[in-house]
Structures are given as C-alpha cells and as structure tokens.
Amino acid sequence: QQQVKQSPQSLIVQKGGISIINCAYENTAFDYFPWYQQFPGKGPALLIAIRPDVSEKKEGRFTISFNKSAKQFSLHIMDSQPGDSATYFCAASSGATNKLIFGTGTLLAVQP
Amino acid sequence: GAGVSQTPSNKVTEKGKYVELRCDPISGHTALYWYRQSLGQGPEFLIYFQGTGAADDSGLPNDRFFAVRPEGSVSTLKIQRTERGDSAMYLCASSLNPGGPGGTQYFGPGTRLTVL
C-alpha cells in the first residue's frame, strides 16, 4: 500500500513536444504529491508539487494533473527542451513525518 | 543562501569497514531526512529527525545502520561492518516544517558509497 507506481520507465520526446509521465498510488492517506528532477550525479530537485484539494497545478511549462478518485497523478512538460533531459521521480507522503515514497523514475531524453 | 551539503561526495571503503556520512541541512530547518538511492531506482527513506530526536527510523535496513543529530543541525549516518550491498547514493534532505506548507524537502548532492 506504500508503493507509488510510475510509468513509463523511459521516454524520448522531440524538442518542442509534450512529455507526459504518470504515477499511481494506493494509500489514500497520502496528501502531498511532489515531482522531483534529477540530473546524473546530483540530488533530486523539487520541480512542482500538488495537494489533493486541487485537480491541476501549473508552473511555467510544468503541469501536474491530479485525479483523486482514480488515485493517479501525472506530470506534463510542455515545449520540452534538451535541457529537460533528466530522470523524473514522482513521490507521495502523508502525516507528521512527511517521509517521501518515490516512484521508480522516468528517464526523459529530449532530442534536438 | 547555502543549500544542503553532504560530505564526502564519494567514499570508497572495503567490506567490513566502518563509515560515517555527514549532512549539513539548510540553516533553520528542523526536519532532516536520510534516503538511500540504488542505481536506477528512486530514493528510499531511511530515517527522519525532528530536531535532535529520530522521530521515524523505520527505513533503516538493519542494526548496522545508525544516525545521530546531537545538536539538531548536522547529522551523521553511520554504517558498521559495511557490505557490498550497502553501495549506493546516500541522500540527505531537510525541510522547514514537515507537516505543513513549508514541507518541501530540499536534497543535498549525496554521498556515493562504494564498498569493495
């Protein structure tokens, strides 16, 4: 019940295209859903996050769509750029500790 | 405006040795987390500190792993009798307020541990 399932494992998108990464969870107690971006040899960096009281959040080219009834959420990267090439992790947390449960990651390659 | 720092950036040790990994959180952040990331996987939670106390150590894999945060700032992750399976990236994160709006966790660059 603690798992967060992420797909696809890898993704190739042309420059200017839309990248879409999906995640699903089981634990209905989760109340915070962040997306992290990680470059090789670096720590994860927060990209955007959402709480379940809204269905969508947009920050620049990045949008989270959240479907509470389906227990799914997704990251959309509009106008994808080669600099977006990285590994993306969804995560979920709940409670006083807020410890993050991460998905398995998606390796995104944006081709010029 | 320093972020989370971790030292060393890389650590190579031999099986059976003892290692210490250090984390300096963002100043003023009371919450500190340790995660372990194996190659090609997402980070996995190890332990969470609120102030000086370990509020949740449910992710520590066994009693060879131990962490301290004696003054509520710097934390040290200690691994005894290292095994080859301990090889991974060890990540530290801190946050201002774990349960509220300031709950964003900021990660350090990690320590790459290799056990030969």
Side-chain angles (χ1 to χ4, degrees):
Chain A
Q1 223 190 8
Q2 285 295 315
Q3 279 188 317
V4 176
K5 296 181 180 180
Q6 183 172 347
S7 63
Q9 187 174 359
S10 62
L11 181 61
I12 300 174
V13 172
Q14 296 297 314
K15 180 182 174 183
I18 302 173
S19 304
I20 302 174
I21 305 170
N22 302 296
C23 284
Y25 63 97
E26 290 294 325
N27 187 349
T28 55
F30 287 145
D31 60 5
Y32 177 68
F33 302 89
W35 284 89
Y36 279 83
Q37 179 189 57
Q38 187 176 31
F39 292 103
K42 306 292 185 183
L46 180 69
L47 202 57
I48 186 172
I50 198 168
R51 294 194 183 271
D53 52 344
V54 296
S55 61
E56 186 175 282
K57 183 174 182 180
K58 183 176 180 179
E59 291 183 359
R61 297 186 293 111
F62 302 95
T63 299
I64 298 179
S65 296
F66 185 82
N67 186 330
K68 189 173 181 178
S69 61
K71 291 184 284 186
Q72 295 175 347
F73 58 111
S74 60
L75 175 69
H76 295 232
I77 305 174
M78 311 299 288
D79 187 26
S80 298
Q81 299 297 312
D84 296 331
S85 298
T87 300
Y88 292 81
F89 293 96
C90 63
S93 69
S94 66
T97 69
N98 206 30
K99 64 185 179 186
L100 293 169
I101 309 300
F102 282 87
T104 50
T106 296
L107 179 61
L108 171 65
V110 180
Q111 295 186 333
Chain B
V4 178
S5 62
Q6 293 186 246
T7 55
S9 55
N10 283 283
K11 176 70 176 178
V12 180
T13 190
E14 293 180 343
K15 180 176 178 295
K17 298 290 188 182
Y18 168 84
V19 296
E20 290 189 351
L21 312 179
R22 176 188 168 106
C23 172
D24 280 85
I26 294 172
S27 178
H29 280 195
T30 59
L32 185 146
Y33 304 81
W34 284 98
Y35 294 84
R36 180 168 70 174
Q37 185 176 25
S38 300
L39 203 60
Q41 300 295 317
E44 293 181 318
F45 169 78
L46 294 176
I47 187 170
Y48 157 66
F49 286 90
Q50 179 58 256
T52 60
D56 184 346
D57 64 358
S58 61
L60 295 178
N62 51 60
D63 61 6
R64 295 187 298 103
F65 289 75
F66 189 70
V68 296
R69 195 185 185 198
E71 297 178 358
S73 177
V74 171
S75 177
T76 305
L77 179 65
K78 307 180 181 191
I79 310 174
Q80 298 178 322
R81 304 182 305 281
T82 52
E83 299 177 357
R84 293 192 180 88
D86 298 336
S87 297
M89 177 75 87
Y90 288 82
L91 295 163
C92 176
S94 70
S95 73
L96 186 61
N97 178 9
T104 298
Q105 291 183 34
Y106 297 90
F107 282 81
T111 294
R112 169 72 63 189
L113 175 66
T114 302
V115 182
L116 301 177

